[in-house]
C-alpha cells in the first residue's frame, strides 16, 4: 500500500492504494489484504488517521439539524411579527383586527416566493450564497458594498430585536420584571458575548430540543386555540384603543410592512450550504422548504386566532402570550411556553455572533475593514468582530430602551435590501450564463426581486418617520467607511510596492546598537550580549542626575569592562525619556542604521507586572513617534 502525504505531518485521506492483487498459492488475497499466516485472520491494512474537529460528514448537518441550527432566527419571528401587525391595525379600532388574516396571507405569499428564490440561490452558490458574495460576484463593487452594509445592519438588529422580544416574553411570564427589560437584555447580551468569546460554537444536536419544543408549543397554541370555542384565560391589563384612523390602504400597507419582520432569517440556510452533509444542495433546499412550510403554518394559524378572538394589545404581555393563555390557560404550560420562547429568541440572537464576525473577516480580507477583524485567536473565534457586534447591539438597545417595536422599522429594511440584491444577482447570473431553462429560472428570481423590492419600498415609505430614516443614513455611511478603508489599503499597497519585485536590499555598514541602562546587573549583561550579536558597534547609555550615582556607575562599568562604551547623560530635571530620545537623534544624524535595544523585566506572574516600571514601553513609544530608528524590546524573564 502506498501512502502519500500532503502538508508535513498530515496523511492525505485521498491517497491512492495499490490495485494489484497479491496471491498465496492459487488464491488471490484481494485488494488491501495480507495472507493468513500463523493462524491470524486477514485484516485490511488501512491507516486510521484521526479526524480533526469539524472534519468528516458526521460533523455536517442533516436537514433536520440544519432546521434547528439555521432557522431559529426565522421561526422565532412569530413572537413579534404578528404582534407588529396588530399594533399597526389597532389604531383604527379593534374591529380593524379582522384585516390581520388577509395581511398575513399576503406575507405568506411573499414568504413562498422567497423560499423558491432562495432554493435557486442554494443551487447556484453551493459554497454559500450570502448577499455579499452574490453581489460581489454578479453585481459589482458598489452593489457589494451596499450588500455588506445592509448585512451589518441586519446582524446587529437581529441581536437587538431578538433580545428585546425575549425580554418581552420573559416579562409576560413574570410581570414584576416589566420595568427591567433593558437590564434583562444587557445581561443576555453579556452572556452571549462571553460565550462567543470563549469560542463555544453551536451544536445542531443541542439546538434540536429547544427548536422542537418551540415548534410544538406554537403549533399547540394554534391547534388547541382553534379547537376551543373561546379563550381559556385572559392575561395582562386591559387597554382602550379608540379609533383615530380609518382602515384604508395606507394603514394596511403599514401593517404589511410591520409584519414583514416575520420574514427575517429566511436567507440563513442559503448562507450556510457548506455546513450540510452531501448532497449539500438537496439537503439545503429541503431545509429551506421545511422552514417555509413551518413558518407559513404558524403565521396563518396565529392570524386565525387573532381574527377570531379579536386579540388586541394588553398591558405587560405580548400578543403571543395572550394566545398561549387562551390555548393553555395560566398553568404550567403558559409559563413553560413563555420561557421556551425566551430561550429560542436568545438562541436566535446568537446566530448573529456566528454570522457578523465571519462577514467582517471577509470584508477585512477584501481590505474593506481593518485587518484586525480578520484575526483569529487560538480558539477559532473572530474576537474583534464579536466585540464590535456586542458594542453596537448594546448601544442600540440603550438608545431605544429595549423597545421591540421601535426596532422593527429599522430591522426589516436591511433584510429586504439583502433579499432584493440576492435575487437581482441571480437574474444577472442566469442572463449571463444562459444554462438550460435559464429563462424559467430568471423569471422565478425576477419575480422574487420585484416582490422584495416592492415590499422594501413599502417598508421605507411607511416606516420612514418611525425610525427607518436611521437605516437610510447608516447604510450609506457604512458604504463610505468600507470604500475609504479600501482606498487607504490600496494607497498603502502602492506605496509599499506590494505585488512588485523591489530593488536589492541596502547593505548597511557600521551599524550602531544603543542600549539604555540604569546600572550594572544581570539585566545589563543580558542586553549587551544581545546587542553585540545584532550590530557592529554597541553603545550603552545611562541617564543620571546625581553626580555620586554617576561616578559609582562609571566605576562599576570599568570593573566589569564588557568591551562596550558607556555614555552617561546628565539630566538635572531627572527626566529619563527625552534625554535618550535627543541622544538617539544626534547619533542618527550621520545617516547610520541605528537600533535601540530596550531591556525590560517580565515577571513570571501577571499580578506582579504592576510592580515593574513601564518606562521602557514609554521610551519605545516616544522613539517610534519621533525617530526612524529600529526599536526593539528585549525581555528578561524572572522566575518570580
Amino acid at each position: 500500500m502506498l501512502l502519500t502525504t500532503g502538508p508535513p505531518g498530515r496523511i492525505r485521506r485521498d491517497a491512492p492504494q495499490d490495485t494489484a492483487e497479491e496471491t498465496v498459492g492459487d488464491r488471490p488475497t484481494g485488494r488491501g489484504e495480507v495472507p493468513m499466516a500463523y493462524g491470524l485472520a486477514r485484516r485490511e491494512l488501512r491507516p486510521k488517521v484521526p479526524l480533526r474537529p469539524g472534519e468528516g460528514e458526521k460533523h455536517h448537518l442533516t436537514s433536520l439539524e440544519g432546521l434547528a441550527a439555521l432557522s431559529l432566527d426565522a421561526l422565532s419571528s412569530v413572537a413579534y411579527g404578528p404582534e407588529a401587525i396588530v399594533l399597526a391595525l389597532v389604531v383604527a379600532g379593534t374591529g380593524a383586527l379582522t384585516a390581520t388574516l388577509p395581511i398575513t396571507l399576503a406575507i405568506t405569499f411573499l414568504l413562498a416566493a422567497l423560499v423558491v428564490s432562495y432554493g435557486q440561490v442554494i443551487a447556484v452558490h453551493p459554497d454559500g450564497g450570502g448577499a455579499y458574495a452574490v453581489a460581489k460576484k454578479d453585481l459589482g463593487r458598489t452593489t457589494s458594498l451596499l450588500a455588506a452594509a445592509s448585512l451589518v445592519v441586519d446582524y446587529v438588529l437581529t441581536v437587538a430585536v431578538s433580545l428585546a422580544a425575549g425580554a418581552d416574553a420573559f416579562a409576560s411570564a413574570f410581570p414584576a420584571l416589566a420595568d427591567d427589560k433593558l437590564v434583562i437584555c444587557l445581561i443576555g447580551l453579556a452572556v452571549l458575548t462571553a460565550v462567543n468569546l470563549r469560542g463555544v460554537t453551536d451544536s445542531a444536536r443541542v439546538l434540536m430540543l429547544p427548536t422542537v419544543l418551540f415548534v410544538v408549543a406554537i403549533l399547540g397554541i394554534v391547534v388547541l386555540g382553534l379547537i376551543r370555542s373561546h379563550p381559556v384565560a385572559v392575561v395582562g391589563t386591559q387597554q382602550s384603543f379608540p379609533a383615530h384612523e380609518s382602515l384604508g390602504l395606507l394603514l394596511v400597507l403599514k401593517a404589511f410592512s410591520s409584519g414583514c419582520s416575520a420574514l427575517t432569517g429566511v436567507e440563513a440556510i442559503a448562507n450556510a450550504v457548506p455546513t450540510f452533509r452531501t448532497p449539500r444542495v438537496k439537503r439545503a433546499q429541503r431545509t429551506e422548504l421545511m422552514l417555509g412550510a413551518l413558518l407559513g403554518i404558524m403565521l396563518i394559524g396565529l392570524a386565525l386566532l387573532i381574527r377570531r378572538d379579536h386579540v388586541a394589545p394588553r398591558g405587560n404581555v405580548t400578543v403571543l402570550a395572550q394566545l398561549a393563555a387562551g390555548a393553555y390557560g395560566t398553568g404550567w404550560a403558559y409559563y413553560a411556553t413563555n420561557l421556551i420562547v425566551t430561550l429560542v429568541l436568545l438562541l436566535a440572537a446568537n446566530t448573529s455572533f456566528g454570522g457578523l464576525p465571519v462577514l467582517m473577516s471577509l470584508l477585512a480580507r477584501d481590505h474593506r475593514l481593518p485587518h484586525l477583524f480578520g484575526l483569529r485567536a487560538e480558539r477559532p473565534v473572530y474576537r474583534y468582530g464579536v466585540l464590535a457586534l456586542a458594542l453596537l447591539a448594546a448601544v442600540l438597545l440603550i438608545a431605544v430602551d429595549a423597545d421591540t417595536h421601535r426596532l422593527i422599522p429599522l430591522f426589516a429594511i436591511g433584510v429586504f435590501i439583502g433579499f432584493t440584491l440576492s435575487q437581482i444577482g441571480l437574474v444577472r447570473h442566469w442572463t449571463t450564463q444562459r444554462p438550460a431553462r435559464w429563462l424559467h429560472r430568471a423569471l422565478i428570481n425576477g419575480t422574487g426581486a420585484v416582490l422584495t423590492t416592492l415590499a422594501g419600498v413599502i417598508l421605507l415609505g411607511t416606516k420612514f418617520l418611525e425610525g427607518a430614516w436611521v437605516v437610510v443614513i447608516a447604510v450609506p455611511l457604512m458604504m463610505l467607511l468600507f470604500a475609504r478603508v479600501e482606498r487607504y489599503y490600496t494607497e498603502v499597497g502602492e506605496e509599499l510596492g506590494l505585488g512588485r519585485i523591489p530593488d536589492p536590499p541596502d547593505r548597511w555598514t557600521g551599524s550602531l546598537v544603543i542600549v539604555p541602562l540604569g546600572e550594572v546587573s544581570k539585566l545589563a549583561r543580558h542586553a549587551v550580549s544581545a546587542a553585540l550579536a545584532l550590530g557592529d558597534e554597541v553603545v550603552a547609555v545611562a541617564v543620571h542626575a546625581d553626580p555620586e550615582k554617576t561616578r559609582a556607575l562609571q566605576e562599576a562599568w570599568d570593573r566589569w569592562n564588557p568591551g562596550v562604551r558607556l555614555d552617561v547623560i546628565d539630566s538635572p530635571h531627572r527626566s529619563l525619556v527625552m534625554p535618550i530620545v535627543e541622544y538617539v537623534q544626534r547619533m542618527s544624524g550621520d545617516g547610520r542604521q541605528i537600533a535601540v535595544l530596550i531591556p525590560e523585566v517580565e515577571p513570571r506572574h501577571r499580578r506582579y507586572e504592576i510592580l515593574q516600571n513601564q518606562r521602557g514601553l514609554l521610551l519605545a513609544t516616544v522613539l517610534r513617534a519621533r525617530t526612524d530608528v529600529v526599536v526593539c524590546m528585549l525581555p528578561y524573564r524572572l522566575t518570580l
Side-chain angles (χ1 to χ4, degrees):
M1 179 181 293
L2 176 66
L3 294 180
T4 61
T5 59
R10 184 180 174 194
I11 299 176
R12 282 174 43 190
R13 295 170 178 81
D14 58 348
Q17 297 178 337
D18 288 338
T19 57
E21 294 183 331
E22 299 175 328
T23 61
V24 177
D26 298 325
R27 183 183 59 81
T29 62
R31 179 183 177 185
E33 298 179 353
V34 294
M36 294 180 62
Y38 304 105
L40 298 178
R42 296 190 306 272
R43 293 189 306 171
E44 291 187 354
L45 292 180
R46 293 180 182 175
K48 293 184 177 179
V49 182
L51 296 174
R52 297 181 300 175
E55 290 187 334
E57 279 293 293
K58 71 176 184 179
H59 294 281
H60 289 78
L61 303 176
T62 64
S63 294
L64 287 177
E65 290 171 348
L67 187 68
L70 302 171
S71 301
L72 284 180
D73 184 14
L75 295 176
S76 65
S77 63
V78 300
Y80 48 83
E83 183 168 2
I85 298 174
V86 170
L87 286 173
L89 291 175
V90 78
V91 297
T94 55
L97 297 179
T98 56
T100 302
L101 181 58
I103 291 173
T104 302
L105 290 174
I107 293 172
T108 306
F109 175 75
L110 180 57
L111 170 65
L114 283 173
V115 168
V116 174
S117 295
Y118 271 103
Q120 300 277 48
V121 175
I122 291 169
V124 175
H125 294 278
D127 54 345
Y132 177 65
V134 175
K136 181 181 174 183
K137 178 178 180 292
D138 296 315
L139 298 177
R141 176 180 176 276
T142 302
T143 309
S144 69
L145 295 178
L146 174 60
S150 66
L151 283 171
V152 172
V153 171
D154 182 14
Y155 280 125
V156 173
L157 282 164
T158 293
V159 175
V161 171
S162 296
L163 288 174
D168 289 340
F170 195 69
S172 297
F174 305 100
L177 300 175
D179 295 330
D180 299 317
K181 292 178 184 177
L182 178 59
V183 176
I184 295 172
C185 288
L186 294 178
I187 291 174
L189 180 61
V191 170
L192 288 177
T193 304
V195 167
N196 283 277
L197 285 176
R198 291 287 299 169
V200 180
T201 57
D202 287 336
S203 169
R205 294 175 180 85
V206 173
L207 294 175
M208 283 287 287
L209 180 60
T211 303
V212 169
L213 291 176
F214 177 77
V215 172
V216 169
I218 301 301
L219 294 180
I221 292 173
V222 173
V223 173
L224 289 179
L226 292 176
I227 290 175
R228 302 183 190 279
S229 58
H230 57 82
V232 176
V234 178
V235 293
T237 58
Q238 187 173 3
Q239 295 177 323
S240 59
F241 296 97
H244 56 82
E245 282 191 35
S246 59
L247 184 60
L249 178 61
L250 181 59
L251 186 60
V252 170
L253 291 177
K254 284 184 179 180
F256 172 79
S257 62
S258 297
C260 281
S261 60
L263 300 179
T264 57
V266 175
E267 76 287 354
I269 295 169
N271 294 346
V273 179
T275 63
F276 284 88
R277 294 184 187 179
T278 52
R280 290 182 171 84
V281 170
K282 289 185 178 180
R283 288 186 186 274
Q285 289 175 330
R286 189 183 306 133
T287 305
E288 188 79 50
L289 290 173
M290 292 164 58
L291 167 62
L294 272 178
L295 183 56
I297 290 171
M298 291 191 290
L299 288 174
I300 294 173
L302 295 176
L304 285 169
L305 289 175
I306 292 170
R307 175 175 180 169
R308 191 197 68 181
D309 298 333
H310 297 281
V311 178
R314 295 175 67 88
N316 297 328
V317 292
T318 63
V319 168
L320 185 59
Q322 292 183 61
L323 296 175
Y328 299 132
T330 54
W332 67 268
Y334 170 76
Y335 289 96
T337 298
N338 282 288
L339 291 176
I340 290 170
V341 171
T342 302
L343 174 62
V344 167
L345 285 165
L346 184 69
L347 295 174
N350 193 55
T351 59
S352 287
F353 282 94
L356 183 58
V358 173
L359 172 65
M360 297 179 86
S361 73
L362 294 176
L363 288 168
R365 189 185 307 166
D366 292 337
H367 311 301
R368 292 173 175 178
L369 274 181
H371 288 168
L372 63 87
F373 286 106
L375 300 178
R376 287 168 58 153
E378 293 180 4
R379 298 172 182 269
V381 177
Y382 296 104
R383 291 186 174 176
Y384 291 103
V386 170
L387 291 173
L389 174 57
L391 179 62
L392 291 171
V395 169
L396 193 58
L397 285 167
I398 294 171
V400 300
D401 197 27
D403 187 344
T404 308
H405 305 293
R406 291 174 64 185
L407 290 168
I408 285 177
L410 310 175
F411 190 26
I413 291 178
V415 174
F416 273 87
I417 292 175
F419 286 166
T420 302
L421 292 180
S422 294
Q423 305 313 311
I424 294 176
L426 261 293
V427 172
R428 176 72 179 274
H429 172 82
W430 298 128
T431 55
T432 303
Q433 301 295 326
R434 298 201 173 191
R437 302 182 63 194
W438 69 270
L439 189 58
H440 171 72
R441 298 173 181 179
L443 182 62
I444 292 175
N445 292 118
T447 302
V450 170
L451 292 176
T452 53
T453 301
L454 180 61
V457 170
I458 293 172
L459 277 165
L460 184 60
T462 57
K463 300 294 183 181
F464 186 82
L465 297 179
E466 297 179 29
W469 60 270
V470 175
V471 178
V472 174
I473 295 175
V475 168
L477 286 178
M478 277 190 286
M479 292 175 64
L480 179 62
L481 171 66
F482 299 153
R484 293 295 296 271
V485 171
E486 185 179 18
R487 187 175 73 180
Y488 168 80
Y489 280 125
T490 301
E491 293 175 354
V492 168
E494 286 294 325
E495 186 168 340
L496 296 178
L498 297 180
R500 300 193 299 271
I501 302 299
D503 296 331
D506 296 325
R507 297 186 179 275
W508 296 93
T509 57
S511 59
L512 173 66
V513 181
I514 299 174
V515 184
L517 293 174
E519 52 189 317
V520 176
S521 64
K522 286 185 178 181
L523 180 64
R525 179 180 180 275
H526 181 61
V528 171
S529 298
L532 288 171
L534 293 176
D536 300 324
E537 181 184 356
V538 176
V539 175
V541 178
V543 178
H544 280 292
D546 188 346
E548 292 297 327
K549 290 184 178 180
T550 300
R551 189 178 305 110
L553 174 63
Q554 190 66 60
E555 291 175 355
W557 190 268
D558 293 338
R559 289 197 303 272
W560 180 32
N561 191 22
V564 170
R565 186 176 86 246
L566 172 67
D567 289 344
V568 181
I569 304 173
D570 183 34
S571 178
H573 301 292
R574 299 184 180 276
S575 173
L576 173 67
V577 174
M578 290 312 300
I580 294 179
V581 173
E582 292 170 358
Y583 177 88
V584 171
Q585 289 174 334
R586 288 197 304 271
M587 297 298 289
S588 60
D590 57 1
R592 280 197 299 176
Q593 179 70 20
I594 292 180
V596 180
L597 187 66
I598 304 173
E600 183 182 34
V601 174
E602 285 190 1
R604 180 179 178 183
H605 300 289
R606 286 194 173 186
R607 60 179 178 271
Y608 296 135
E609 286 184 0
I610 194 173
L611 303 179
Q612 302 294 329
N613 69 65
Q614 305 298 320
R615 286 180 296 184
L617 292 174
L618 177 60
L619 175 60
T621 302
V622 177
L623 282 172
R624 290 189 181 103
R626 301 196 177 189
T627 69
D628 294 326
V629 301
V630 178
V631 180
C632 308
M633 303 297 295
L634 178 68
Y636 185 88
R637 294 182 172 87
L638 302 175
T639 59
L640 300 177

